[in-house]
Amino acid sequence: MGAATSSAPATFSDHVFKLLERVEHRVASNPSEREAAFRLRYDAYRRIGFLKPRLNDTLYDPLYDDDPMAWTTLSFVDGELAGTVRVNFAADENAVLPGLQAFSDILAPRLRRRQKIVEFTRLAAKISLSRVHSELPYIVMRPGFMAAQHLEADFAVATPREEHIAFYKRAFGAELWCKPRDYPGLTARLACMGADYRVVRSAIEARYPFYKSTAAERTALFEARDLSQDMRSPPARALCLTGSGAEAPSPA
């Protein structure tokens, strides 16, 4: 019993690193993977009352999911789809960005100044796994953090509902740019949050070292969508990194 106790993870980051050993990140590139992501989104959003019922049981946004500068990321635990988040990239006022639907007055001026924005939307996690792994939201959002570095973003943006504002502030150093507003297609009001990525990155990685990644891992995830025979991007396996972070509760 003493040996088991001494080897138990001591911090929140230790727990995440342990789970990362069983995780693969992937970008959904073929129809079956995309369908799985859209269904997981729908299930998650329906469960919390975000959406009215739909006949096809999917949450698919053609404009934002099919844009060339969009990536629907998938995170697998032991081969099981555990979560998804969509990453959209914009660098000028003509770009496609989900947040412009409700926060054009906040985001458009930055885009007119040619500031590069990575936005995270459609975060969803499998309920059965999130109940077992309270750290799962951090795992699912890890590809978003990687994308901001890979795309050399000036700002990372998210549009959470009010009860998740604290998570994005804690996990990404995001500031509240706009209080919750009505959001098209959803029954909930969403806020707009943003972080100066270059400013906050080192502090976030120091607190949560599991967000660190290598250039090879980022390239495998975001630049090689269609290299394998089944038209899937190759898995970007989470690398074993050392370090510890401050313990923090999950928003789930």
Side-chain angles (χ1 to χ4, degrees):
M1 182 178 295
T5 301
S6 63
S7 62
T11 68
F12 177 73
S13 284
D14 289 332
H15 282 281
V16 177
F17 276 120
K18 192 69 175 177
L19 183 57
L20 275 175
E21 296 174 2
R22 301 156 53 194
V23 169
E24 287 183 1
H25 299 305
R26 186 185 292 279
V27 168
S29 296
N30 65 36
S32 63
E33 289 183 334
R34 285 165 58 86
E35 180 78 6
F38 302 155
R39 286 186 178 275
L40 181 58
R41 289 179 188 172
Y42 178 82
D43 291 343
Y45 280 48
R46 281 288 297 147
R47 187 177 65 246
I48 59 177
F50 259 33
L51 286 175
K52 296 179 180 179
R54 297 185 177 185
L55 292 177
N56 59 2
D57 293 341
T58 61
L59 179 51
Y60 164 52
D61 312 305
L63 179 62
Y64 304 111
D65 287 318
D66 296 343
D67 186 74
M69 299 307 294
W71 295 263
T72 297
T73 70
L74 308 172
S75 296
F76 297 86
V77 175
D78 298 331
E80 180 180 3
L81 179 59
T84 179
V85 69
R86 182 176 63 204
V87 176
N88 289 85
F89 177 73
D92 60 56
E93 66 270 28
N94 297 316
V96 173
L97 203 65
L100 290 171
Q101 297 176 90
F103 303 102
S104 60
D105 57 322
I106 306 297
L107 300 177
R110 297 182 180 276
L111 294 173
R112 284 195 289 270
R113 294 194 293 269
R114 297 298 192 269
Q115 293 176 342
K116 293 181 286 187
I117 293 177
V118 166
E119 183 180 3
F120 316 132
T121 52
R122 297 301 191 237
L123 171 65
K126 191 167 185 177
I127 184 63
S128 59
L129 292 175
S130 63
R131 286 172 175 165
V132 176
H133 304 292
S134 62
E135 61 272 45
L136 189 59
Y138 291 84
I139 296 287
V140 176
M141 286 298 295
R142 185 172 180 267
F145 193 89
M146 294 165 58
Q149 182 176 359
H150 182 72
L151 296 167
E152 299 181 344
D154 296 308
F155 293 94
V157 170
T159 52
R161 65 185 191 268
E162 187 169 9
E163 56 266 39
H164 283 176
I165 287 175
F167 166 67
Y168 284 93
K169 182 177 181 179
R170 181 173 60 244
F172 291 100
E175 298 178 348
L176 183 64
W177 284 359
C178 183
K179 294 181 179 180
R181 293 178 176 176
D182 292 334
Y183 197 91
L186 299 179
T187 60
R189 293 166 62 84
L190 302 184
C192 182
M193 301 186 71
D196 187 325
Y197 183 75
R198 293 184 178 89
V199 171
V200 304
R201 178 189 158 199
S202 59
I204 296 302
E205 289 183 343
R207 186 178 188 187
Y208 301 121
F210 50 81
Y211 277 139
K212 295 179 182 178
S213 60
T214 67
E217 187 184 9
R218 295 188 296 273
T219 297
L221 191 59
F222 295 108
E223 288 188 3
R225 300 192 199 197
D226 302 318
L227 296 184
S228 60
Q229 291 182 353
D230 61 359
M231 298 301 288
R232 297 184 304 174
S233 59
R237 291 185 177 274
L239 303 183
C240 182
L241 304 171
T242 58
S244 62
E247 187 167 355
S250 165

